[in-house]
Amino acid sequence: MTLGLNLCCIHCLMCMVMQTEAPPTVRIIHSGHACNVEEERHTERVYTIKEGETLELTCLVTGHPRPQIRWTKTAGSVSDRFQDSSVFNETLHIKKILRTQGGRYYCKAENGLGSPAIKSIRVDVYYLDDPVVTVHQSIGEAKEQFYYERTVFLRCVANSNPPVRYSWHRGREVLTQGSDKGVEIYEPFFTQLQGETKILKLKNLRPQDYANYSCIASVRNVCGIPDRSVIFRLTNKTASPSIKLLVEDPIVVNPGQTVSLVCITTGGEPPPILTWVSSNDSLPQRSVVKGGTLTLPAITSDEAGVYSCVASNNVGNPAKKSTTIVVRALKKGRFWITPDPYHNDDNIQIGREVKISCQVEATPPEELTFSWLKNGRALRSSERMVITQTDPDISPGTTNLDIIDLKFTDFGTYTCVAALKGGGIPEISIDVNISSTTVPPNLTVPRGKSPLVAREGDTVELECLVSGKPKPIILWSRADKEAPMPDGNMQMESYDGVLRIVNVSREMTGSYRCQTSQYNGFNVKPREAVVELIVQYPPTVEPVYMEMRQGLGRPVVMTCRVLRAHPSRVLRFEWLLSNRLLHAGAFDTQRDETEYTIRSLNRDGWGEYTCNVINEAGAGKCTFQVTGKAYPPEFYYDTYSPLWQNRPRVYGFKLQWTQMNPNAVDRIVAYRLGIRQMGLQRWWEQEIPVDGAINKGELMTHNLTELIKPESYEVRLTPITRFGEGDSTIRIVTYSAPINPHLREFHCSFEEELICMFTQDKNDDFDWTRHSAATRDTKYTPNTGPSVDRSGSKQGFYMYIETSRPRKEGDQARLVSPFFNVAPKNPYGITNPPAYCFGFFYHMYGKHIGTLNAFLKQKGQTSSEGPVWSLSGNQGDRWRQAVVSIHPTASFQVVLEGIRGPGIEGDIAIDDVTLEEGECQGLPDGE
């Protein structure tokens, strides 16, 4: 195979029968731009970061099956929830973090075993804004200017985290408490930070007090945040701002007009800055601000409101002037007729009184004018025809026409005309007909329209017949409960007595009240009627969808259960396989469910089964996908550093997995392994045979070799049964330098500067040196040491002892491995110590070669016993392998000791140190 990926070299499948299921554990590590990480009480971790930097928190988890990870955050006034990260994405990444994103971050891992594991870390975001200096005089003193014998306060404020320390300067002079009798520096009572100063008091201004004052805000360079400063120039002309609006208040305009508001400064030193604000939270999008002028082109009613010009120069309080823009409008014209109120009449009668009322919504209300016409001719107020306009505070925008002692000649059409004095807005005319045929309303529900039966999703029309002249507006509302109507309001208006509901739902079942409104009709006791609405809906069933996996020859039972239905009398059921009817019948309402059983599943039985439960409104559907597909394998992530270094350019990876529900379907006969290098399209595949049945929790292992450094690979694993391929699982294999060597299979070729976490013994005489033959200078000792590393590469690295001066005979150099843990399965200790094969390659060439020793150093032992392996003298110019079985009873380290011989031609080198489980299998070739 090309691309350095030799799948032919992949070892055969190894099965280790062990229960690998384990509840999750979790810990949080950080990366990105941390300023500081500290442990507080109760082991709380606080992670400090500067605003605008990148936050990276990684949740390291163990547990099998692989835990699902979710990040959440709680802080401040709200709880922010992050979107669930994918199963294997453990890193939370926030670019350009904001101060509002500080708080406590939680990582929760759960895999269904035991309780979820939760860890948290507090993120503190540091920032410092530019300081602002404001200047004030003491209350009661002159506001126009600052002059002799006046007291002035300079206040400096900057938003920050952590709290700010302030310092004051006058010109180049540093101001401190007591340094100048005319200056006082206030310590704010609400802070405990020593030396923090905010307020500078200048008592009885002197000539030297007119100067440049600078305030420096500092957070002591935490997170590398530099100090920030601001300068304020105090003169004898310094004064708070004053402004003037060159407009009337209020401004009344017609819609579509362009409005310009002009604001000018009339005083203030330094010159004030002008801004505009609106009572509508923000200025209209189309508004234009140029200097002190605000222009609103083609204004609309929505843009009416209060507009304010604000002037600020940080001296005294800002100046503010406001004006109200009123946009003329006339809308929603209504009328109502009131028969003689003194006799409780519902009808219009000759000789009695009749009142016609007319109402509109007007802006501004004070410009509203009404006029009345009878049959098109102007009508004036008289003894029998009394025109009044009611109090705007009681009933705004209303006019009344009282007809006293109604006569036959008073029948006719009365017109109410509403207008605005300013003009430019179309009038509203409302016609009211008074005649012998004018009668009060009556409401009835048409026959067969209540109860009204509809199916869910239909469009329905609830109808009330309204008679009378004129016909009033009909108000619809719920009669059976306090609930909103379909449009979200408590009432809906109808001009024809019909309430139309589109896409009716089961929640809309109930009683609806139709009621006459006083508007556009008689102002009498409301008439009302009730319409019953019954919404039928198909049965609601469960499960809506279920996947059922089963092996051949086994039984399958499918159950479809009815939860709700209207009408509740379910008529029948039918079972289908891919639209082929299998079974049908009457539904047993006593059981509320129906079953279908396959006694022995065969290949023809695979497919999609549908159960339809049917009533008058339709069918509820349960769907079952019956398949012999195997469940996906679950990759095992808790192997300690499954990656090892083969040679300088390649690496290997131990792939481990368990099979989810291995006994649910037919026996898995093989796995299809696919692998491709990230960024490339081509997949390489092979089958891995499986001998015998797989037990639940059984750990399976496959070694991937010849992976190219530092490339990452996508690995796909698919189980295969008689059914065919099952569900696949994909994971990413990423190369990384060996940081945490693990016990089962440790391999170190010293290619990385970290040298696999080997350390130099601090109590020896000198150190081992890491080198490659390409960089090592051998001109002083040409007849000693290796010319290549163990793999034959001049670029490859190895460790060696340099025996040239100042080294002397007998000097020792010891290289100590990291600790390897031996976890006893028996809580009372290890009764049968495990065996490990410790191996390494050595090069001992030169006439002054001393001794190379290998020791086993166990935890708890003050001194190691004799070497487990030792060799002295010249062994020739070639690499040889040493292997030795060791049997530790506790956590242990291996130590390689080089001892200098009698002369300088005594360099000793080592390479490719390995540690594997089990006894060593024979001696190396040639040994």
Side-chain angles (χ1 to χ4, degrees), residues 795-842:
Q795 281 72 36
F797 285 85
Y798 53 84
M799 302 295 290
Y800 83 106
I801 58 170
E802 174 60 69
T803 55
S804 303
R805 294 182 181 86
R807 303 276 68 84
K808 58 184 182 297
E809 186 174 3
D811 280 359
Q812 301 169 343
R814 284 187 290 273
L815 193 64
V816 185
S817 78
F819 268 104
F820 297 97
N821 294 321
V822 177
K825 295 180 180 178
N826 185 334
Y828 301 102
I830 296 176
T831 54
N832 297 314
Y836 298 96
C837 183
F838 172 43
F840 57 91
F841 283 83
Y842 61 88

Short mmCIF file of all heavy atoms in Angstrom, two decimals, residues 795-842:
data_model
loop_
_atom_site.label_atom_id
_atom_site.label_comp_id
_atom_site.label_asym_id
_atom_site.label_seq_id
_atom_site.Cartn_x
_atom_site.Cartn_y
_atom_site.Cartn_z
N GLN A 795 19.28 11.16 10.69
CA GLN A 795 18.47 12.22 11.28
C GLN A 795 17.79 11.77 12.58
O GLN A 795 17.29 12.58 13.34
CB GLN A 795 17.39 12.69 10.29
CG GLN A 795 17.91 13.65 9.22
CD GLN A 795 18.78 12.95 8.19
OE1 GLN A 795 18.52 11.81 7.83
NE2 GLN A 795 19.83 13.64 7.75
N GLY A 796 17.71 10.47 12.80
CA GLY A 796 17.02 9.95 13.98
C GLY A 796 17.80 10.25 15.26
O GLY A 796 19.02 10.39 15.27
N PHE A 797 17.07 10.36 16.38
CA PHE A 797 17.68 10.73 17.66
C PHE A 797 17.87 9.50 18.56
O PHE A 797 17.16 8.49 18.43
CB PHE A 797 16.82 11.77 18.38
CG PHE A 797 16.91 13.14 17.79
CD1 PHE A 797 16.13 13.50 16.71
CD2 PHE A 797 17.82 14.07 18.30
CE1 PHE A 797 16.22 14.77 16.16
CE2 PHE A 797 17.92 15.33 17.75
CZ PHE A 797 17.12 15.69 16.68
N TYR A 798 18.82 9.62 19.47
CA TYR A 798 19.08 8.59 20.50
C TYR A 798 19.68 9.32 21.70
O TYR A 798 19.96 10.53 21.66
CB TYR A 798 20.04 7.51 19.97
CG TYR A 798 21.33 8.07 19.40
CD1 TYR A 798 22.42 8.37 20.23
CD2 TYR A 798 21.45 8.31 18.03
CE1 TYR A 798 23.59 8.90 19.70
CE2 TYR A 798 22.62 8.83 17.50
CZ TYR A 798 23.69 9.13 18.34
OH TYR A 798 24.83 9.66 17.83
N MET A 799 19.86 8.60 22.80
CA MET A 799 20.48 9.16 24.02
C MET A 799 21.86 8.51 24.18
O MET A 799 22.02 7.30 23.93
CB MET A 799 19.62 8.88 25.24
CG MET A 799 18.19 9.40 25.18
SD MET A 799 18.08 11.20 25.13
CE MET A 799 18.59 11.63 26.79
N TYR A 800 22.84 9.31 24.60
CA TYR A 800 24.17 8.73 24.81
C TYR A 800 24.88 9.48 25.94
O TYR A 800 24.48 10.58 26.34
CB TYR A 800 24.98 8.77 23.51
CG TYR A 800 25.66 10.09 23.23
CD1 TYR A 800 27.05 10.22 23.39
CD2 TYR A 800 24.94 11.20 22.81
CE1 TYR A 800 27.68 11.43 23.12
CE2 TYR A 800 25.56 12.39 22.54
CZ TYR A 800 26.94 12.51 22.70
OH TYR A 800 27.55 13.71 22.45
N ILE A 801 25.96 8.84 26.46
CA ILE A 801 26.78 9.51 27.47
C ILE A 801 28.07 9.93 26.77
O ILE A 801 28.73 9.15 26.09
CB ILE A 801 27.07 8.61 28.70
CG1 ILE A 801 27.76 7.30 28.30
CG2 ILE A 801 25.78 8.32 29.47
CD1 ILE A 801 28.28 6.50 29.49
N GLU A 802 28.41 11.22 26.93
CA GLU A 802 29.64 11.79 26.37
C GLU A 802 30.73 11.60 27.42
O GLU A 802 30.65 12.18 28.52
CB GLU A 802 29.42 13.26 26.04
CG GLU A 802 30.68 13.99 25.59
CD GLU A 802 31.28 13.37 24.35
OE1 GLU A 802 30.67 13.48 23.27
OE2 GLU A 802 32.36 12.75 24.48
N THR A 803 31.79 10.79 27.11
CA THR A 803 32.82 10.44 28.11
C THR A 803 34.07 11.29 27.99
O THR A 803 35.09 11.02 28.64
CB THR A 803 33.19 8.95 27.97
OG1 THR A 803 33.61 8.69 26.62
CG2 THR A 803 31.98 8.08 28.31
N SER A 804 34.02 12.31 27.14
CA SER A 804 35.18 13.20 27.04
C SER A 804 35.32 14.01 28.32
O SER A 804 34.43 14.05 29.17
CB SER A 804 35.03 14.12 25.83
OG SER A 804 34.85 13.35 24.64
N ARG A 805 36.49 14.72 28.44
CA ARG A 805 36.71 15.56 29.62
C ARG A 805 35.58 16.57 29.76
O ARG A 805 35.05 17.02 28.77
CB ARG A 805 38.08 16.27 29.49
CG ARG A 805 39.25 15.33 29.54
CD ARG A 805 40.57 16.10 29.46
NE ARG A 805 41.71 15.19 29.49
CZ ARG A 805 42.22 14.59 28.42
NH1 ARG A 805 41.70 14.83 27.25
NH2 ARG A 805 43.25 13.78 28.54
N PRO A 806 35.13 16.93 30.98
CA PRO A 806 35.80 16.67 32.27
C PRO A 806 35.38 15.37 32.94
O PRO A 806 35.57 15.19 34.14
CB PRO A 806 35.34 17.86 33.12
CG PRO A 806 33.94 18.13 32.64
CD PRO A 806 33.97 17.83 31.17
N ARG A 807 34.75 14.43 32.19
CA ARG A 807 34.33 13.18 32.81
C ARG A 807 35.57 12.37 33.21
O ARG A 807 36.62 12.41 32.55
CB ARG A 807 33.46 12.35 31.86
CG ARG A 807 32.22 13.07 31.37
CD ARG A 807 31.07 12.96 32.36
NE ARG A 807 31.27 13.68 33.59
CZ ARG A 807 30.99 14.98 33.75
NH1 ARG A 807 30.56 15.70 32.75
NH2 ARG A 807 31.16 15.55 34.93
N LYS A 808 35.43 11.62 34.33
CA LYS A 808 36.53 10.77 34.78
C LYS A 808 36.00 9.37 35.03
O LYS A 808 34.80 9.14 35.11
CB LYS A 808 37.17 11.34 36.04
CG LYS A 808 36.23 11.54 37.22
CD LYS A 808 36.98 12.19 38.36
CE LYS A 808 36.10 12.37 39.60
NZ LYS A 808 34.97 13.26 39.35
N GLU A 809 36.90 8.42 35.13
CA GLU A 809 36.50 7.02 35.24
C GLU A 809 35.59 6.81 36.46
O GLU A 809 35.84 7.34 37.54
CB GLU A 809 37.75 6.13 35.35
CG GLU A 809 37.42 4.64 35.34
CD GLU A 809 38.67 3.77 35.31
OE1 GLU A 809 39.79 4.32 35.36
OE2 GLU A 809 38.53 2.54 35.22
N GLY A 810 34.51 6.06 36.21
CA GLY A 810 33.57 5.75 37.30
C GLY A 810 32.41 6.71 37.43
O GLY A 810 31.46 6.45 38.19
N ASP A 811 32.46 7.85 36.71
CA ASP A 811 31.32 8.79 36.77
C ASP A 811 30.05 8.11 36.24
O ASP A 811 30.11 7.35 35.26
CB ASP A 811 31.61 10.04 35.94
CG ASP A 811 32.50 11.02 36.70
OD1 ASP A 811 32.85 10.71 37.85
OD2 ASP A 811 32.83 12.08 36.12
N GLN A 812 28.91 8.42 36.88
CA GLN A 812 27.65 7.76 36.54
C GLN A 812 26.64 8.77 35.98
O GLN A 812 26.54 9.89 36.48
CB GLN A 812 27.05 7.09 37.78
CG GLN A 812 27.95 6.05 38.43
CD GLN A 812 27.42 5.62 39.78
OE1 GLN A 812 26.58 6.29 40.38
NE2 GLN A 812 27.93 4.49 40.27
N ALA A 813 25.88 8.33 34.94
CA ALA A 813 24.75 9.12 34.40
C ALA A 813 23.52 8.21 34.40
O ALA A 813 23.58 7.09 33.87
CB ALA A 813 25.06 9.61 32.98
N ARG A 814 22.45 8.66 35.05
CA ARG A 814 21.25 7.82 35.16
C ARG A 814 20.05 8.53 34.52
O ARG A 814 19.77 9.69 34.83
CB ARG A 814 20.96 7.49 36.63
CG ARG A 814 21.88 6.43 37.20
CD ARG A 814 21.46 6.00 38.58
NE ARG A 814 21.68 7.05 39.56
CZ ARG A 814 22.83 7.23 40.23
NH1 ARG A 814 23.86 6.43 40.00
NH2 ARG A 814 22.94 8.20 41.10
N LEU A 815 19.34 7.80 33.65
CA LEU A 815 18.14 8.27 32.97
C LEU A 815 16.95 7.51 33.56
O LEU A 815 16.93 6.28 33.53
CB LEU A 815 18.25 8.02 31.46
CG LEU A 815 17.23 8.72 30.56
CD1 LEU A 815 17.40 10.23 30.64
CD2 LEU A 815 17.39 8.24 29.12
N VAL A 816 15.96 8.26 34.10
CA VAL A 816 14.86 7.66 34.87
C VAL A 816 13.56 7.82 34.08
O VAL A 816 13.21 8.92 33.63
CB VAL A 816 14.73 8.31 36.26
CG1 VAL A 816 13.65 7.60 37.08
CG2 VAL A 816 16.07 8.28 36.99
N SER A 817 12.83 6.72 33.93
CA SER A 817 11.57 6.76 33.19
C SER A 817 10.47 7.39 34.05
O SER A 817 10.63 7.53 35.27
CB SER A 817 11.12 5.34 32.80
OG SER A 817 10.56 4.68 33.94
N PRO A 818 9.32 7.76 33.44
CA PRO A 818 8.18 8.17 34.26
C PRO A 818 7.64 6.97 35.03
O PRO A 818 8.02 5.84 34.79
CB PRO A 818 7.16 8.66 33.23
CG PRO A 818 7.53 7.99 31.97
CD PRO A 818 9.01 7.81 32.01
N PHE A 819 6.73 7.24 35.99
CA PHE A 819 6.14 6.16 36.77
C PHE A 819 5.14 5.38 35.91
O PHE A 819 4.39 5.94 35.12
CB PHE A 819 5.40 6.72 37.99
CG PHE A 819 6.27 6.79 39.22
CD1 PHE A 819 6.77 8.00 39.66
CD2 PHE A 819 6.57 5.64 39.94
CE1 PHE A 819 7.57 8.07 40.78
CE2 PHE A 819 7.37 5.70 41.07
CZ PHE A 819 7.88 6.91 41.49
N PHE A 820 5.15 4.06 36.09
CA PHE A 820 4.14 3.20 35.50
C PHE A 820 3.31 2.61 36.63
O PHE A 820 3.87 2.10 37.62
CB PHE A 820 4.78 2.08 34.69
CG PHE A 820 5.57 2.57 33.52
CD1 PHE A 820 6.95 2.74 33.60
CD2 PHE A 820 4.93 2.91 32.34
CE1 PHE A 820 7.67 3.20 32.52
CE2 PHE A 820 5.66 3.37 31.25
CZ PHE A 820 7.02 3.54 31.34
N ASN A 821 1.98 2.68 36.50
CA ASN A 821 1.10 2.20 37.57
C ASN A 821 0.77 0.73 37.38
O ASN A 821 0.45 0.29 36.27
CB ASN A 821 -0.20 3.00 37.59
CG ASN A 821 0.03 4.44 37.97
OD1 ASN A 821 0.85 4.72 38.83
ND2 ASN A 821 -0.67 5.35 37.31
N VAL A 822 0.80 0.00 38.47
CA VAL A 822 0.33 -1.38 38.49
C VAL A 822 -0.92 -1.38 39.34
O VAL A 822 -0.87 -1.17 40.55
CB VAL A 822 1.38 -2.33 39.09
CG1 VAL A 822 0.82 -3.75 39.15
CG2 VAL A 822 2.65 -2.29 38.27
N ALA A 823 -2.10 -1.53 38.71
CA ALA A 823 -3.36 -1.43 39.44
C ALA A 823 -3.78 -2.81 39.91
O ALA A 823 -4.15 -3.67 39.08
CB ALA A 823 -4.45 -0.82 38.56
N PRO A 824 -3.76 -3.11 41.20
CA PRO A 824 -4.17 -4.43 41.68
C PRO A 824 -5.66 -4.62 41.57
O PRO A 824 -6.43 -3.74 41.92
CB PRO A 824 -3.71 -4.43 43.14
CG PRO A 824 -3.71 -2.99 43.54
CD PRO A 824 -3.34 -2.23 42.30
N LYS A 825 -6.09 -5.78 41.05
CA LYS A 825 -7.51 -6.08 41.03
C LYS A 825 -8.00 -6.46 42.42
O LYS A 825 -9.17 -6.31 42.74
CB LYS A 825 -7.79 -7.19 40.01
CG LYS A 825 -7.48 -6.78 38.58
CD LYS A 825 -7.76 -7.89 37.60
CE LYS A 825 -7.43 -7.44 36.18
NZ LYS A 825 -7.65 -8.51 35.19
N ASN A 826 -7.11 -6.99 43.22
CA ASN A 826 -7.44 -7.33 44.61
C ASN A 826 -7.18 -6.10 45.48
O ASN A 826 -6.07 -5.58 45.50
CB ASN A 826 -6.55 -8.50 45.07
CG ASN A 826 -6.92 -8.98 46.48
OD1 ASN A 826 -7.47 -8.20 47.27
ND2 ASN A 826 -6.62 -10.23 46.76
N PRO A 827 -8.20 -5.60 46.20
CA PRO A 827 -7.98 -4.38 47.00
C PRO A 827 -6.94 -4.55 48.10
O PRO A 827 -6.47 -3.58 48.67
CB PRO A 827 -9.38 -4.08 47.57
CG PRO A 827 -10.09 -5.39 47.53
CD PRO A 827 -9.56 -6.12 46.36
N TYR A 828 -6.60 -5.79 48.45
CA TYR A 828 -5.64 -6.00 49.54
C TYR A 828 -4.22 -6.16 49.03
O TYR A 828 -3.31 -6.54 49.75
CB TYR A 828 -6.03 -7.24 50.36
CG TYR A 828 -7.41 -7.11 50.96
CD1 TYR A 828 -8.50 -7.77 50.40
CD2 TYR A 828 -7.63 -6.28 52.06
CE1 TYR A 828 -9.77 -7.63 50.94
CE2 TYR A 828 -8.89 -6.13 52.59
CZ TYR A 828 -9.96 -6.81 52.05
OH TYR A 828 -11.21 -6.65 52.59
N GLY A 829 -4.01 -5.87 47.76
CA GLY A 829 -2.66 -5.91 47.23
C GLY A 829 -2.52 -6.89 46.09
O GLY A 829 -3.45 -7.58 45.70
N ILE A 830 -1.32 -6.93 45.55
CA ILE A 830 -1.05 -7.79 44.40
C ILE A 830 -0.52 -9.13 44.91
O ILE A 830 0.52 -9.18 45.58
CB ILE A 830 -0.04 -7.13 43.45
CG1 ILE A 830 -0.65 -5.85 42.88
CG2 ILE A 830 0.38 -8.06 42.34
CD1 ILE A 830 0.30 -5.06 42.02
N THR A 831 -1.24 -10.21 44.62
CA THR A 831 -0.79 -11.54 45.05
C THR A 831 0.05 -12.22 43.98
O THR A 831 1.02 -12.89 44.27
CB THR A 831 -2.00 -12.40 45.41
OG1 THR A 831 -2.89 -12.42 44.29
CG2 THR A 831 -2.75 -11.82 46.62
N ASN A 832 -0.33 -12.01 42.70
CA ASN A 832 0.45 -12.56 41.59
C ASN A 832 0.99 -11.40 40.77
O ASN A 832 0.28 -10.85 39.93
CB ASN A 832 -0.42 -13.46 40.73
CG ASN A 832 -0.93 -14.67 41.50
OD1 ASN A 832 -0.17 -15.32 42.20
ND2 ASN A 832 -2.22 -14.97 41.35
N PRO A 833 2.21 -10.97 41.01
CA PRO A 833 2.74 -9.79 40.30
C PRO A 833 2.68 -9.99 38.80
O PRO A 833 3.05 -11.06 38.29
CB PRO A 833 4.19 -9.69 40.80
CG PRO A 833 4.22 -10.46 42.08
CD PRO A 833 3.20 -11.55 41.93
N PRO A 834 2.24 -8.98 38.05
CA PRO A 834 2.21 -9.09 36.59
C PRO A 834 3.61 -9.04 36.02
O PRO A 834 4.54 -8.52 36.65
CB PRO A 834 1.39 -7.87 36.16
CG PRO A 834 1.58 -6.88 37.26
CD PRO A 834 1.72 -7.69 38.52
N ALA A 835 3.76 -9.57 34.84
CA ALA A 835 5.06 -9.57 34.17
C ALA A 835 5.06 -8.54 33.06
O ALA A 835 4.04 -8.34 32.38
CB ALA A 835 5.36 -10.95 33.60
N TYR A 836 6.20 -7.87 32.88
CA TYR A 836 6.38 -6.92 31.79
C TYR A 836 7.72 -7.19 31.13
O TYR A 836 8.70 -7.56 31.79
CB TYR A 836 6.34 -5.48 32.30
CG TYR A 836 5.02 -5.13 32.93
CD1 TYR A 836 4.85 -5.21 34.31
CD2 TYR A 836 3.95 -4.74 32.15
CE1 TYR A 836 3.64 -4.91 34.89
CE2 TYR A 836 2.73 -4.44 32.73
CZ TYR A 836 2.57 -4.52 34.10
OH TYR A 836 1.37 -4.23 34.67
N CYS A 837 7.75 -7.00 29.83
CA CYS A 837 8.99 -7.17 29.08
C CYS A 837 9.61 -5.79 28.85
O CYS A 837 9.02 -4.95 28.15
CB CYS A 837 8.73 -7.87 27.76
SG CYS A 837 10.25 -8.19 26.82
N PHE A 838 10.78 -5.57 29.46
CA PHE A 838 11.50 -4.30 29.34
C PHE A 838 12.61 -4.51 28.31
O PHE A 838 13.42 -5.43 28.44
CB PHE A 838 12.06 -3.91 30.71
CG PHE A 838 12.99 -2.73 30.70
CD1 PHE A 838 12.70 -1.60 29.94
CD2 PHE A 838 14.17 -2.73 31.44
CE1 PHE A 838 13.55 -0.51 29.93
CE2 PHE A 838 15.01 -1.65 31.44
CZ PHE A 838 14.70 -0.54 30.68
N GLY A 839 12.61 -3.68 27.27
CA GLY A 839 13.60 -3.84 26.22
C GLY A 839 14.17 -2.51 25.77
O GLY A 839 13.55 -1.46 25.94
N PHE A 840 15.37 -2.57 25.18
CA PHE A 840 15.98 -1.37 24.62
C PHE A 840 17.11 -1.80 23.70
O PHE A 840 17.58 -2.94 23.74
CB PHE A 840 16.51 -0.43 25.71
CG PHE A 840 17.50 -1.07 26.65
CD1 PHE A 840 18.88 -1.04 26.40
CD2 PHE A 840 17.06 -1.72 27.80
CE1 PHE A 840 19.78 -1.64 27.26
CE2 PHE A 840 17.95 -2.31 28.66
CZ PHE A 840 19.31 -2.28 28.41
N PHE A 841 17.51 -0.90 22.82
CA PHE A 841 18.66 -1.14 21.96
C PHE A 841 19.85 -0.34 22.51
O PHE A 841 19.66 0.79 23.00
CB PHE A 841 18.36 -0.71 20.52
CG PHE A 841 17.50 -1.70 19.78
CD1 PHE A 841 16.12 -1.68 19.92
CD2 PHE A 841 18.09 -2.64 18.95
CE1 PHE A 841 15.34 -2.59 19.25
CE2 PHE A 841 17.30 -3.55 18.26
CZ PHE A 841 15.92 -3.53 18.40
N TYR A 842 21.05 -0.93 22.44
CA TYR A 842 22.24 -0.27 22.97
C TYR A 842 23.35 -0.30 21.92
O TYR A 842 23.39 -1.17 21.05
CB TYR A 842 22.70 -0.92 24.28
CG TYR A 842 23.09 -2.38 24.14
CD1 TYR A 842 24.39 -2.76 23.81
CD2 TYR A 842 22.14 -3.38 24.36
CE1 TYR A 842 24.74 -4.10 23.68
CE2 TYR A 842 22.47 -4.72 24.24
CZ TYR A 842 23.78 -5.07 23.89
OH TYR A 842 24.12 -6.39 23.74
#
